[in-house]
Amino acid sequence: MHPIWADDPAEALALQARLRRRVVARGAPAPALVAGLDAAYSRDGATIYGAAVLFLFPGLEQVGEAWTECEARFPYIPGLFAFREGPALCAALEALDRTPDLILVHGHGIAHPRRCGIASHLGVLLGTPSIGVADLLLVGEAGEPRGERGAAAPVRFEGEVVGWAVRTRTGARPIYVSPGHLVGHAAAVELVLAMTGNYRRPEPLRAAHRCAVSVRAGKTKR
DNA sequence: GCGACAG
DNA sequence: ATCTTGTCGC
């Protein structure tokens, strides 16, 4: 009954307009199983490798991994990123043998022009708490967080706080964290920090990225 | 019109 | 995202 994805930008915008109403940017989940989601592309850009890696929380032991290979059928358009990578990431999630109770997505949550970035989009579709973690800002302005790990400065857009610039590692540039779905601002930042070790990006996303890249290597090898 | 623009 | 080697620094 309800369209999940879209075939063109106009449809995508219409779907986002409906999805945004279902986004709940509050909550403080206490997850036991967390999945990190990321993707990689074939050289020619025709194929997307989606990866989902499962971790126990808060221990962060890796307990599962799954990936998929999908045809890239939606162009990369800032603001419509979910329509490009979303299908591949969902397929990877479905290939896991367990269902996570929190997903970390490489991309933004509500720090998005229509408050419906890929993390929010997937969270709503799956009915699962989600958090967006990005390397660069898509919208808004962020102050410079203090220099030590754990410091955070709000990302403001159209008069409201839509996310946080978080210093996950002393001396490194901040990453941008925003609620996806069923997670509030404070919880999003706290959870990301709890999943970040000696690297700038949280472990589940590092693992998902390595997984996607290695799958591409296997599929490209000849 | 100009510049910005997740991955 | 991807194309790419070495290199500066902790």
Side-chain angles (χ1 to χ4, degrees), chain A residues 33-38 50-54 65-68 86-105 122-123 125-126 128-130:
Chain A
L33 256 190
V34 179
L37 303 178
D38 195 14
V53 182
L54 271 181
E65 187 177 49
W67 56 85
T68 54
L89 299 184
C90 276
L93 262 180
E94 289 169 12
L96 288 171
D97 45 29
R98 274 182 283 181
T99 302
D101 30 47
L102 173 68
I103 59 179
L104 265 189
V105 188
L122 293 180
L125 286 190
L126 302 164
T128 302
S130 63

Side-chain angles (χ1 to χ4, degrees), chain A residues 172-196:
Chain A
R173 300 160 35 214
I175 57 175
Y176 301 94
V177 177
S178 60
H181 184 51
L182 303 177
V183 179
H185 285 279
V189 171
E190 287 167 13
L191 285 164
V192 166
L193 281 170
M195 291 187 267
T196 303

